[in-house]
Amino acid sequence: MREPKTYARNYEIPEEELTYSGSVSCPGCGATLAMRYALKALGSNTITVIPACCWSIIAGPFPYSSLTVPIFHTAFETAGAVSSGISAALDVLGKKDITVMAWAGDGGTFDIGLQALSGAVERNEDFIYVCYDNEAYMNTGIQRSSATPWMAWTTTTPVEHPKEEPKKDIVAIMAAHRIPYAATATIAYPEDMIAKFRKAKGIRGSKFIHVLSPCPPGWKSEASDSIKLTRLAVQSKVFPLYEIEHGDKVTINVWPKDGGVPVKEYLRLQGRFRHLSEEAIAAIQAEVDRNWERLVVRAQRVMGNE
Amino acid sequence: MRKVVTGNYAVSWGAKLARAQVIAAYPITPQTSIIEKLASFCANGEMDARFIKVESEHSAMAACIGASAVGARAFTATSGQGLLLMHEVVHWAAGARLPIVMGVVNRAIAPGWSIWTEQNDTLSQRDTGWIQFYCETNQEVLDTTIQAFKIAEKVFLPAMIVLDAFVLSHTSEAVDIPEQAEVDAFLPPYRPPLKLDPEDPRAFGALVLPGEYMELRYKMQKAMEQALSVAEEVDREWGERFGRSWGLVEPYRLDDAELALVTSGTVTGTSREVVDALREEGVKIGLLKVRLFRPFPHQIIREMLAGVRKVAVIDRNISFGDSGVFAQEVRAALYHADKRPPVFDFVAGLGGRDIVPETIREIVDYTVTHDAPTEEFTWVGVKI
Amino acid sequence: MIEIRIHGRGGQGAVIASEVLADAVFQEGKYVQSFPAFGVERRGAPVTAFTRINDKPIRIRTQIYTPDHIMVLDPTLLEVVDVTAGLKDGAWILINSAKPPHTFTFPDRYRVATVDANAIAVKYHLGPRNAPIINTAILGAFARLTGIVSLETLCNAVRAAVPINPEGNVAAVKEAYEQVIGDGQ
Amino acid sequence: MKKETEARVIVFTSEAEMPMMPASVASTLYNKTGSWRYMRPLYKNQTPPCNAACPAGEDIVMHLQLTAQGRYAEAWETLVRENPFPGVCGRVCPHPCESECNREYLGGAIAIHCQERFLADYAAAHHLSLPTTNVPQREEQIAVIGAGPAGLSCAYHLRRMGYQVTVFEAGEKPGGMMRLIPEYRLPKEVLEREIAAIIALGVEVKTGMRLGVDLALKDLQGYAAVFLAIGQSVSRRLDVPGEDAVGVLHGIDFLARVERGQKVDLGKKVAVIGGGNTAMDAARTARRLGADVTILYRRSRAEMPAIDEEVHETLDEGVKIEFLRAPVAVLTANGRVRGLRLTRIELGAPDASGRRRPVPVAGSEYELEFDTVIPALGQVADLTFLSAEVQTERGRIITDEKTATTRLPIFAGGDAATGFGTVTAAVGSGKRAALAIDSFLRGVERPFPDLAQNVQVAPRPHDPNVVRFEDLNTAYFEEIPRPPQDQRPAAQRVTTFQEVNLGYGEDVALAEARRCFSCGTCNECDNCLIFCPDVAVLRGPSDDEPFVFNYDYCKGCGICVSECPRRAILFAEEIKFNDQ
C-alpha cells in the first residue's frame, strides 16, 4: 500500500480496514459505511454487539463474518444488556483495554431496545452504544419506527396516511440519563464521526452515538446519493451534528455553511417524501428551524458559561 | 461449615463457591433474597464478581449471555413472570452454547397474581435447551448449583436449579457449606475454546441458512444427551469429594414396590413421610424422585419403574389441554418399556396450595382403588 | 418433632425469631426447619413464622397446622388472629405483655406465660422507642419456658444473627429469660 | 481467526466440521458482490476546460496540482514538456484557459498565467535545465524556417525526439515577433533565457538567413523535412490618403525600432490605430517615450481583440481610447503628418469574424491633430518566395491537420499557416508540426485533432468530455477569491520600461494552485476511498494509478462517482464490460 497523500484534502482517517468486502448490504448502504468508519476509529481491540437489524445480515451469514473484530449477534432488544455483560466480564477478567460497541438500528434503539439501553446507560456501563438510524424497520422491509420522520412514507404508513408523529429525540433521552457522552454523527462527515468515536473510546462509562444512515431502498433514494443526503441533512439542520457531555454541555460540531439550505433540498431527493405538500414542507421547515434554534441556544449557553 | 440458611441463600452460597464472575439479576419475589445475598457478597468483597443490577429479567439473561460469551462464569436467578419475560433469551443462551447457571424459584403465573409455588414457569422453558434440576432440600440446592456449573461447562449448555417458592426458597435448614478450596478443586475455572476475543475475532450467532441449521441443532441435542452421563459423573465425583450424591433420579423404597409415586421438588420430602407411614401400614409403595428433568433420564426411569404395577405422578403444574408435564414425560419414557404400568397423573398444589400428607394419601388411595386411570389426569383438592 | 408458631406484625422480626431459634437449636445438634408463612409481608400487618425441631432429619415440607407452642409478639393480635388455631394440648402460649398471664383468657389445656419484652427492648435500646424490636427478648423467655434450647446457645445464636447491637440483644435475651412469668410456675 | 485476505468458501461436509455454535470461520470475502453491479465506476480522467482551451496544449491541471504540493520543479517540467516558453506565455498569453476555468463561479478563475510565470521564474531562479529525454539520437536533419515561437517550438520538440535541427532566421536574432513585445510586458532577459535553453539542447540557429533572399527552398533538399514558420511580417495598410507621409509608422516597425534601441521621434501627439495587442504595445511604448497617445478603434470596447488586462493597464497609464472611430485620411503638411480625418462609426450586422461590421456614419467626419500616426492593424505573411507546389489560400499556407503542406516533406505552421497570431498558438502549432514530422519520418500513424484543438506530447489518458461547473461536486469547494497580482503603479510605469506585472510570490502561487478544482483529474483527495461502503476502492500501485476498484466487490452504488469532487470517475453500464 502506498503512503496516502495529504495535500488535497486532509482526511485524518486511519488507513487500516476493519471491515471486509463481500457483505450483503444494499448498494449505497449508509450503515455499512458507518461501521467502516466506526471501526477505523476504535481499532481492532473492539468487541461488537449486534442485535437484530440490517447489520445482523450485513455482518455475514454463518460461517462468515464481514468484520475483523469479534461480533456477538443477539436478540433485538438486548444490545444494552448484552454489552453490559460483556463489559462487566471484561472488567472482571482484567481485560480493561477492549472497547465494547453495541451497534443497533433505530428499531432496536428507539423502540424495542430502549429499555435495555436506558437501563445500561443509567448504570453508566462502560460501552459505546451506536444507533445507526435509517429511520424505519428496513430489515423487515420498511415499516415505521419511532425514528421515522413526520409525514414519511413506510409500508405501514402509506402515502394515504403517512406517519403522523414526529421523530423521537433519542439523543435528548440519552442526555437525560446524564451519561458522559452523547453525540450525533453521520457518514458525510467522516472526520467528525471518527473524532467522536475516538473521543467516546477515551471516556469511561456510557457513550451514545446517533448516526444518521441513509437506506436507498427505504428512503427511495439513489444509491449514489447517500453521502449527499446526509450532507444535506446536516446542512439543512434536519440532523445537526452536536454532542452533549454529562447531559448538559452542548457543542455544535458542524455549523451549516452560509446559514444552511432549505429542508426541501434534502426532502426532494427521497421518494418517501414525494407526496409532501408545500404546506407540509413548510411545516417541516418550521419545526427544523425551531429545533435548531433551541440547540443553538443550549450550545451558546455553554459557550457563555465558559 | 454447617449453617442454617434458606433455600435462596443456598443458591447464593452455591454461586459464590462456584466463583461466579458476573451476576446480572433483577429482583422478583420470591427470588429476591438470592440476589440480595449475592449483592452483599460482592459489596463486601467476599466475591470477586461484577453484579449488574439490570432493569429486567430479560436484560439479566442478556447480560449473562454477554458475560459468558466473553468467557466469564455467569449467574442469574429469577422466578415466575421474570423467567417468562426472559424466555426469548433463555433460548438464546442455549443456542449460543453458553454455560450460564440460573437459580429459578418456581412461582405460579399471573393472572391473578400469585407468588406461590408451581412449576409452570420452568416447565414452559422445557424446550429451550437448558439443563433443569428440581431440588428437594437446601443442601441439594447448594450442591446442585455448584454441580450445574461443572456440567454446563462440560457440555456447553446452560443449567437451571429449580426450587419451590417459599417451601424451599424461604425455609431455613441446616446446610453443609463446603470449603472454598474443596470446591475449587472440584470446579476448575471456565475456559471456553471459543469466546469473544479480539485476538481470535469471530462472529457468533449469525444468520444460519437451512443448509446448516439442523446440524447445529443436532449438536445441541447431542450435547444434551451427553449431559446425562456428565451429570451422573459429576454427581458421583461430588459424592466422592463431599460425601453426598443426589442421583439423576432417586428411588426411595422402590425395590419391592407395587405402587410408585413419581415426584419432584419439595413434595418429595412430604411424600417420603407418607411412604414410610404407608409401608408401616403394609402398603407396598415406593417413590421415584425426578431430580434431572432436562435432559430427561428416560432409560433410568424406564428401568426403575419397570417392575411396578402402578405409577402415580404428582404434578405441581399443568399443561393446559393435556395433563401434568412430568406425567407426560414418564408415560413417554415408559412407552418403550416391555411392561408398561398404568400411569396415574395427579395435578396438585398449584399456586402454592399446600401439599400435606393427607393430599398424598388421597392420591395413593385413588391409585390403589383404580385399576387404570379413567381420565388423563386427576385434579387433587380442587373445589369442584 | 416440635412445631412452633410465632405471631407478630410485619417489622417486628417474627421471621428472624423463627430463624434464630432454629439456628440455636441446630447448634445443639437437632434438626431444624424454619420458614415464614408463605406470603407477602407488609409492615404492621399480622405475620406468622414457624420453626420445626426434630431429632432426625425433617422431610415434611408443609406449613405448620398443629403447633406444639406459640409465641405472640404483640398482644393486640389476640383480637384479630385466632392464635390457638390447631394448637396442641399442653402448649405454651407466650405473650409479650406487661400483664401477668392470668389476665389472658385461654382454655385450660394451654399454659400461658408473659414477658414485658417491650420494656426490656427499650431498656437495651433495641429499635426505636415507639416500635421496639422484641424478637430476641421473647426468645429468651421461650427458652426458659420450654427448655428447648439452653440460654447460652441461644445467646450465641443471637450474637451471630444480629448485626447491630448484638450485646444489647443478648442482654435482652438474658433479662427476658429471668423475668418471664409462667402460668402455674 | 486472523484478518483474511483470501476469499474462502466454506463447505461443511459433516456436523463434526462445524463449530458447536454458529461461530464464523471465514470472512465475507467469499461473496463476490461485484456480480450485483449494473453500473461500473472507472477511473478515467476527463478533460479539464483549461487544458482543452490551451492553444499550446499545456497540462495546466497537472502543473497546478504539482505546484499545490510544492513540487515546483516537477510542475515546471510538466509545463515545459509541452511548451518551452512558459516565461513568455505566462506574461503575454491572452490565457483562453482562464476564460474556461470552472473556478470562475466560486471566487474567480485560477490565475493560470501567473502560475505559469511563477514556475518559469522559479526555474530561472533555481537554474533548472530543460529536462532531457532519453531517446536515441536520430540521423535525420530537419530545417525549420523562422525562429519565432512556432519555429523554435517545433525545433525544441524535434530535438527532444532526437532529431538534428537547423533553424534559419531572417532576423539578426531568434525570437520573431516575441522580440517586439515591449520590455515592460516581456523582459528580454526572459525571452533570451528561454531561447538559449532551446539552443542549449543542440538546436542550431542560423540568423540573417531570409528565405527567398539568402536561401531558397530548393537549397533545403538535403533535409529530411522542412518546417515553414515564417510568420506574418508585413503590416496591413490603412489604405487611406496620406498613408505614406513622414510620421506614419506601422506598429511593428515602431516596436522593432524601439527594441533595437533606435531613437524614434514621435512628436507630442500620437495616434495609434487599431484594437489589438500590437496597438496596445505601440500606444504604451509611445506613452513611455513621453507622447500624448490616443488609440482610435473602429469598433466598441466589447469587440477589442486586445487582452482585457492589457486594455486596463493601457488606460491606467493615461492612454486615451476613442471607440467607433476610423481614419479616412492622414492629414499632411509638407509631406509630414499633421493629423487625421476621422469618421464616426456605427456597428452593423455581424461580419465573417462574428463581430459587428463597422459602418461609417455619413457626415460625421472631423479632424484631429497628431504628430505621429501608428497604424497597428495586424500583419500578413509574405509568401512570395513559395513555389507553386506549396499552395496557399487567402494569404496562408494550406496545411492539413498534420501541418503538412501540399508538397511533402514540407510542413508549415505558425500564423503564416494558421492565422492564429498569439505566441501560445504558435507554440502549439510548432509542436503539432514536430509530432507530425516525427510520425511522417518514422512512418507511424498518429491521430491528430483538427487545427482548432491542441496537441500534447505527453497526453495523460483521459476522456474527451470536458468537465463543466455543473459536473463538479461543489460541496467540497469553498468560495475563495482570486488573489490579485502585484503591479507597478501606473504613474511610475509610464516613466520606465521596467516590467509592469510583478507576478506571484511563492505563498500566493501555492494558495492559488490549491484553489484549482483539478477538474477531471484525480488529485488523490481520497473521497472515493473513504466513501466506499464496500471497501472496494483500494490504493493503487503508483502515482499514475492512485486508486483501483476492486470489481470483485464493487456493487456499483456510484457513491464514489457522485462524491468525486472533480468528475475524475466515469460511470458506465456494466454490460459494456461483460464481453471483455
Side-chain angles (χ1 to χ4, degrees):
Chain A
M1 190 186 296
R2 294 181 313 116
E3 281 297 304
K5 296 283 172 57
T6 53
Y7 58 92
R9 192 178 160 190
N10 287 313
Y11 284 109
E12 293 293 331
I13 292 179
E15 285 285 305
E16 193 186 1
E17 299 294 350
L18 292 105
T19 56
Y20 286 115
S21 299
S23 76
V24 297
S25 57
C26 302
C29 174
T32 305
L33 186 52
M35 177 67 94
R36 192 170 158 239
Y37 297 160
L39 290 181
K40 276 174 177 282
L42 299 181
S44 59
N45 211 12
T46 301
I47 291 173
T48 56
V49 176
I50 303 180
C53 59
C54 285
W55 254 98
S56 308
I57 308 302
I58 300 168
F62 169 73
Y64 305 100
S65 173
S66 69
L67 301 186
T68 64
V69 300
I71 303 171
F72 195 76
H73 289 272
T74 184
F76 208 168
E77 65 284 36
T78 60
V82 168
S83 303
S84 302
I86 291 174
S87 180
L90 292 172
D91 187 46
V92 77
L93 294 170
K95 298 176 179 175
K96 296 180 199 276
D97 57 342
I98 297 173
T99 303
V100 180
M101 174 175 74
W103 185 265
D106 46 301
T109 304
F110 287 63
D111 296 341
I112 196 169
L114 185 59
Q115 174 182 312
L117 169 59
S118 173
V121 303
E122 183 276 330
R123 297 188 300 273
N124 201 22
E125 302 285 358
D126 187 22
F127 76 125
I128 304 172
Y129 189 104
V130 182
C131 173
Y132 70 92
D133 178 9
N134 48 32
E135 302 194 320
Y137 290 84
M138 299 310 185
N139 203 29
T140 46
I142 321 162
Q143 294 78 38
R144 67 90 86 182
S145 76
S146 61
T148 303
W150 183 68
M151 288 303 270
W153 164 90
T154 68
T155 60
T156 50
T157 51
V159 291
E160 297 79 10
H161 195 148
K163 192 182 180 239
E164 290 184 331
E165 305 78 20
K167 179 173 178 146
K168 190 185 278 184
D169 187 350
I170 193 71
V171 178
I173 293 169
M174 289 297 105
H177 287 74
R178 303 271 158 183
I179 56 175
Y181 190 66
T184 63
T186 194
I187 54 171
Y189 296 86
E191 287 176 297
D192 174 73
M193 183 166 163
I194 284 170
K196 283 169 175 168
F197 273 80
R198 284 186 166 155
K199 184 168 182 177
K201 183 183 177 178
I203 297 169
R204 214 175 150 73
S206 295
K207 289 79 64 174
F208 180 84
I209 302 180
H210 181 202
V211 181
L212 184 67
S213 304
C215 169
W219 291 15
K220 293 178 181 274
S221 59
E222 290 293 331
S224 56
D225 277 347
S226 289
I227 300 297
K228 183 177 187 180
L229 275 167
T230 61
R231 183 164 57 235
L232 284 171
V234 173
Q235 293 297 327
S236 67
K237 304 160 187 166
V238 167
F239 192 82
L241 294 180
Y242 63 98
E243 57 192 12
I244 305 180
E245 289 163 85
H246 300 288
D248 192 35
K249 187 185 163 198
V250 178
T251 309
I252 296 174
N253 309 102
V254 173
W255 291 80
K257 217 158 113 178
D258 306 325
V261 298
V263 290
K264 196 173 182 176
E265 297 285 304
Y266 170 67
L267 300 174
R268 70 183 178 84
L269 295 176
Q270 303 173 59
R272 62 177 175 152
F273 294 118
R274 192 172 293 132
H275 55 281
L276 258 56
S277 63
E278 287 301 319
E279 292 74 27
I281 292 171
I284 292 170
Q285 182 70 61
E287 179 65 14
V288 163
D289 290 344
R290 258 195 308 279
N291 290 340
W292 171 254
E293 280 158 26
R294 257 198 301 273
L295 184 67
V296 168
V297 166
R298 290 188 67 190
Q300 283 170 342
R301 196 179 62 209
V302 171
M303 286 188 277
N305 287 345
E306 283 182 350
Chain B
M1 174 177 63
R2 279 178 67 79
K3 204 171 156 63
V4 177
V5 296
T6 63
N8 274 356
Y9 283 3
V11 176
S12 315
W13 275 97
K16 175 182 186 288
L17 289 167
R19 295 191 186 276
Q21 292 168 300
V22 173
I23 297 153
Y26 187 76
I28 180 172
T29 302
Q31 154 265 31
T32 312
S33 56
I34 299 177
I35 65 165
E36 285 176 337
K37 190 73 179 170
L38 286 169
S40 138
F41 283 147
C42 290
N44 65 21
E46 288 182 67
M47 277 182 90
D48 180 19
R50 301 294 173 271
F51 193 128
I52 312 174
K53 285 106 181 177
V54 286
E55 82 298 333
S56 74
E57 286 87 356
H58 197 281
S59 287
M61 181 50 65
C64 285
I65 286 170
S68 185
V70 180
R73 188 168 279 160
F75 178 83
T76 187
T78 189
S79 178
Q81 307 294 134
L83 182 61
L84 300 189
L85 177 62
M86 226 184 237
H87 179 69
E88 180 201 23
V89 274
V90 169
H91 274 283
W92 203 285
R97 307 298 300 274
L98 299 171
I100 297 161
V101 171
M102 169 161 62
V104 184
V105 183
N106 268 146
R107 169 180 157 173
I109 305 304
W113 283 116
S114 172
I115 57 172
W116 296 277
T117 197
E118 186 190 295
Q119 296 169 324
N120 265 39
D121 55 354
T122 50
L123 290 176
S124 67
Q125 314 303 312
R126 182 180 68 171
D127 302 330
T128 55
W130 280 64
I131 296 163
Q132 286 195 353
F133 288 103
Y134 288 77
C135 295
E136 179 189 351
T137 69
N138 292 2
Q139 186 69 59
E140 186 182 350
V141 165
L142 185 146
D143 293 357
T144 306
T145 303
I146 299 167
Q147 287 187 10
F149 278 105
K150 184 151 184 169
I151 299 162
E153 290 169 10
K154 273 182 188 279
V155 299
F156 294 99
L157 285 173
M160 282 179 209
I161 302 100
V162 183
L163 58 158
D164 289 341
F166 298 107
V167 188
L168 210 53
S169 71
H170 285 61
T171 296
S172 301
E173 56 187 0
V175 172
D176 179 45
I177 297 172
E179 292 302 313
Q180 183 69 57
E182 293 175 48
V183 175
D184 289 347
F186 169 78
L187 180 65
Y190 175 47
R191 299 263 187 271
L194 288 178
K195 59 180 188 288
L196 283 173
D197 180 3
E199 297 295 316
D200 179 25
R202 291 169 190 271
F204 291 89
L207 178 75
V208 180
L209 301 175
E212 281 83 28
Y213 189 86
M214 270 188 79
E215 284 71 18
L216 292 168
R217 297 287 125 165
Y218 173 87
K219 283 170 175 287
M220 271 178 80
Q221 172 62 15
K222 283 287 160 199
M224 257 302 181
E225 290 166 9
Q226 189 199 348
L228 270 180
S229 55
V230 170
E232 207 162 18
E233 188 187 309
V234 165
D235 186 50
R236 189 182 310 123
E237 187 195 343
W238 181 266
E240 286 160 8
R241 286 176 182 275
F242 299 97
R244 294 181 298 274
S245 279
W246 303 95
L248 308 187
V249 298
E250 183 201 340
Y252 182 70
R253 303 187 84 164
L254 202 54
D255 284 347
D256 60 341
E258 291 177 355
L259 169 62
L261 286 173
V262 176
T263 61
S264 61
T266 53
V267 76
T268 308
T270 310
S271 297
R272 288 180 204 267
E273 294 283 332
V274 176
V275 166
D276 286 356
L278 288 170
R279 278 279 182 179
E280 282 187 20
E281 291 166 23
V283 181
K284 287 195 162 178
I285 185 170
L287 180 152
L288 184 68
K289 166 184 158 187
V290 178
R291 174 171 171 256
L292 181 66
F293 176 71
R294 276 291 178 275
F296 197 70
H298 299 90
Q299 187 62 37
I300 308 173
I301 286 172
R302 210 154 33 227
E303 286 164 10
M304 297 236 170
L305 296 179
V308 173
R309 283 192 47 235
K310 288 178 185 172
V311 173
V313 181
I314 302 175
D315 266 309
R316 206 164 201 163
N317 64 78
I318 178 164
S319 169
F320 295 107
D322 198 279
S323 63
V325 172
F326 278 84
Q328 294 172 5
E329 305 272 336
V330 169
R331 281 191 201 108
L334 289 173
Y335 188 81
H336 295 291
D338 294 337
K339 281 166 60 185
R340 291 196 291 267
V343 176
F344 293 74
D345 182 23
F346 299 91
V347 170
L350 299 187
R353 186 165 299 184
D354 210 357
I355 300 180
V356 295
E358 290 69 29
T359 319
I360 294 160
R361 275 181 178 272
E362 202 182 310
I363 287 165
V364 173
D365 287 348
Y366 185 98
T367 311
V368 167
T369 54
H370 289 72
D371 290 336
T374 56
E375 49 195 354
E376 287 302 314
F377 73 95
T378 303
W379 291 97
V380 180
V382 69
K383 300 177 193 87
I384 38 178
Chain C
M1 183 156 67
I2 300 167
E3 295 183 320
I4 296 147
R5 187 165 69 202
I6 306 172
H7 294 274
R9 291 185 183 278
Q12 282 187 315
V15 179
I16 303 286
S18 75
E19 286 176 358
V20 172
L21 178 61
D23 189 38
V25 174
F26 161 73
Q27 301 297 342
E28 296 190 347
K30 301 266 186 18
Y31 291 91
V32 293
Q33 201 184 58
S34 78
F35 49 94
F38 305 153
V40 269
E41 272 194 53
R42 287 291 178 265
R43 191 166 293 269
V47 297
T48 38
F50 308 91
T51 304
R52 280 196 176 102
I53 300 165
N54 206 348
D55 294 330
K56 54 181 187 168
I58 301 167
R59 301 183 297 185
I60 192 158
R61 299 208 175 258
T62 67
Q63 301 213 30
I64 289 172
Y65 297 96
T66 54
D68 294 281
H69 306 291
I70 62 170
M71 285 177 250
V72 181
L73 305 193
D74 183 343
T76 62
L77 284 169
L78 299 173
E79 314 281 325
V80 289
V81 178
D82 179 12
V83 297
T84 59
L87 187 63
K88 285 182 183 157
D89 293 355
W92 274 108
I93 300 173
L94 171 59
I95 304 168
N96 168 24
S97 173
K99 295 178 188 169
H102 61 82
T103 54
F104 296 93
T105 319
F106 286 103
D108 289 347
R109 60 181 187 274
Y110 303 133
R111 293 178 282 174
V112 181
T114 57
V115 65
D116 190 0
N118 275 28
I120 296 168
V122 168
K123 179 177 173 187
Y124 292 103
H125 310 292
L126 307 179
R129 180 168 284 272
N130 61 349
I133 295 178
I134 51 86
N135 58 355
T136 46
I138 202 95
L139 287 178
F142 190 72
R144 172 73 176 276
L145 289 179
T146 59
I148 280 173
V149 67
S150 72
L151 178 62
E152 189 191 353
T153 314
L154 180 61
C155 289
N156 287 341
V158 166
R159 251 183 222 109
V162 180
I164 301 161
N165 193 8
E167 290 313 318
N169 279 285
V170 167
V173 168
K174 287 178 176 165
E175 188 154 336
Y177 188 90
E178 296 301 329
Q179 286 186 5
V180 65
I181 304 163
D183 192 17
Q185 283 192 324
Chain D
M1 196 176 87
K2 272 294 161 194
K3 187 168 176 180
E4 298 194 3
T5 51
E6 61 181 288
R8 283 198 294 149
V9 173
I10 304 296
V11 179
F12 296 118
T13 57
S14 73
E15 57 90 16
E17 294 173 7
M18 289 189 194
M20 68 179 160
M21 73 281 272
S24 63
V25 299
S27 78
T28 50
L29 290 175
Y30 82 98
N31 187 25
K32 301 288 178 67
T33 51
S35 64
W36 301 9
R37 186 176 60 237
Y38 63 92
M39 291 293 279
R40 164 182 293 218
L42 288 164
Y43 288 110
K44 181 111 191 220
N45 290 327
Q46 299 188 46
T47 305
C50 49
N51 283 19
C54 177
E58 289 176 11
D59 192 344
I60 295 165
V61 160
M62 188 52 75
H63 76 66
L64 286 173
Q65 290 313 309
L66 290 166
T67 301
Q69 297 170 54
R71 293 157 70 181
Y72 307 127
E74 290 166 76
W76 177 75
E77 284 177 18
T78 302
L79 192 46
V80 296
R81 201 154 41 221
E82 303 294 342
N83 179 354
F85 289 109
V88 174
C89 292
R91 287 170 167 84
V92 307
C93 180
H95 45 70
C97 51
E98 293 184 26
S99 308
E100 297 298 313
C101 178
N102 287 324
R103 241 306 168 193
E104 178 63 25
Y105 303 96
L106 280 174
I110 301 296
I112 297 166
H113 73 287
C114 298
Q115 296 297 116
E116 189 174 7
R117 172 183 166 169
F118 165 76
L119 291 176
D121 292 355
Y122 175 89
H126 292 78
H127 309 290
L128 301 182
S129 304
L130 286 173
T132 51
T133 53
N134 262 334
V135 298
Q137 291 298 308
R138 300 187 65 103
E139 298 291 309
E140 293 97 327
Q141 304 263 342
I142 318 285
V144 172
I145 312 302
L152 288 174
S153 166
C154 181
Y156 166 74
H157 287 293
L158 285 170
R159 184 72 200 107
R160 278 168 59 86
M161 292 173 203
Y163 293 99
Q164 313 303 317
V165 187
T166 305
V167 182
F168 297 95
E169 165 58 35
E172 294 165 23
K173 291 179 183 174
M177 284 295 175
M178 293 187 287
R179 286 215 165 267
L180 303 190
I181 300 169
E183 180 79 13
Y184 63 85
R185 209 148 71 84
L186 175 62
K188 286 293 162 306
E189 180 200 348
V190 174
L191 178 65
E192 300 292 6
R193 183 168 57 232
E194 292 188 335
I195 293 172
I198 294 168
I199 292 169
L201 292 177
V203 171
E204 185 185 12
V205 178
K206 295 188 173 175
T207 54
M209 298 288 280
R210 182 175 294 275
L211 190 65
V213 177
D214 303 305
L215 80 166
L217 268 181
K218 65 179 186 330
D219 299 335
L220 301 173
Q221 278 170 356
Y223 291 92
V226 175
F227 178 56
L228 299 176
I230 55 179
Q232 295 179 320
S233 55
V234 180
S235 296
R236 282 182 204 275
R237 293 174 58 82
L238 280 172
D239 288 335
V240 296
E243 185 171 2
D244 297 323
V246 174
V248 177
L249 190 55
H250 280 272
I252 54 171
D253 298 332
F254 167 57
L255 293 171
R257 286 171 65 177
V258 175
E259 195 270 326
R260 286 197 293 269
Q262 296 172 2
K263 183 154 169 52
V264 188
D265 182 14
L266 295 173
K268 187 81 184 131
K269 296 187 70 171
V270 173
V272 175
I273 300 164
N277 288 325
T278 308
M280 300 305 127
D281 288 348
R284 296 173 70 186
T285 300
R287 184 85 184 95
R288 279 165 176 71
L289 295 175
D292 173 9
V293 184
T294 302
I295 293 172
L296 300 162
Y297 179 52
R298 58 183 180 159
R299 291 184 167 99
S300 68
R301 175 76 183 84
E303 287 82 20
M304 274 184 99
I307 306 170
D308 216 34
E309 294 101 304
E310 206 68 28
V311 178
H312 280 293
E313 289 164 15
T314 305
L315 289 168
D316 288 348
E317 291 169 7
V319 173
K320 293 181 286 293
I321 305 179
E322 301 256 353
F323 297 103
L324 299 165
R325 299 287 184 275
V328 294
V330 177
L331 303 175
T332 59
N334 305 321
R336 235 203 107 81
V337 171
R338 70 168 177 85
L340 286 169
R341 174 170 301 133
L342 298 161
T343 178
R344 294 179 195 275
I345 298 288
E346 282 180 346
L347 292 179
D351 65 9
S353 74
R355 296 181 301 177
R356 294 172 71 188
R357 181 192 301 275
V359 182
V361 178
S364 67
E365 291 183 11
Y366 65 102
E367 292 181 1
L368 285 177
E369 290 194 352
F370 291 106
D371 300 312
T372 301
V373 172
I374 304 177
L377 302 176
Q379 298 86 246
V380 292
D382 174 8
L383 305 175
T384 50
F385 59 88
L386 290 175
S387 65
E389 288 172 305
V390 180
Q391 292 176 14
T392 63
E393 186 181 39
R394 295 162 72 180
R396 294 181 199 159
I397 305 168
I398 295 175
T399 67
D400 62 9
E401 75 280 359
K402 295 175 190 158
T403 71
T405 67
T406 51
R407 166 71 168 86
L408 283 174
I410 300 175
F411 296 78
D415 50 3
T418 65
F420 298 125
T422 66
V423 173
T424 322
V427 165
S429 176
K431 176 166 63 178
R432 182 187 290 256
L435 291 168
I437 290 166
D438 175 59
S439 59
F440 169 75
L441 292 177
R442 291 196 292 126
V444 178
E445 273 302 310
R446 179 192 157 120
F448 282 87
D450 70 50
L451 292 171
Q453 292 177 44
N454 59 29
V455 294
Q456 292 185 310
V457 172
R460 287 185 280 127
H462 68 104
D463 191 82
N465 180 42
V466 175
V467 179
R468 299 300 171 196
F469 185 71
E470 55 272 21
D471 298 328
L472 302 173
N473 188 336
T474 52
Y476 297 98
F477 303 121
E478 301 288 327
E479 180 165 345
I480 305 168
R482 167 176 165 144
Q485 183 184 200
D486 284 345
Q487 287 187 326
R488 285 183 207 284
Q492 193 190 91
R493 292 200 309 247
V494 296
T495 65
T496 168
F497 277 84
Q498 281 185 318
E499 193 170 16
V500 170
N501 289 315
L502 301 176
Y504 280 163
E506 181 182 340
D507 291 352
V508 179
L510 193 65
E512 180 65 352
R514 286 178 174 161
R515 217 167 57 89
C516 169
F517 290 155
S518 190
C519 302
T521 297
C522 175
N523 68 354
E524 300 181 52
C525 74
D526 282 2
N527 268 17
C528 52
L529 182 82
I530 283 161
F531 290 122
C532 179
D534 296 302
V535 203
V537 177
L538 311 172
R539 290 209 186 275
S542 68
D543 281 358
D544 295 334
E545 206 181 353
F547 303 104
V548 289
F549 287 111
N550 188 344
Y551 290 115
D552 279 351
Y553 301 107
C554 165
K555 293 170 185 162
C557 70
I559 285 179
C560 54
V561 179
S562 58
E563 293 313 310
C564 176
R566 44 195 53 86
R567 194 52 80 90
I569 305 175
L570 288 178
F571 209 27
E573 273 182 50
E574 183 66 20
I575 192 113
K576 291 179 186 164
F577 304 95
N578 285 344
D579 299 335
Q580 291 174 6

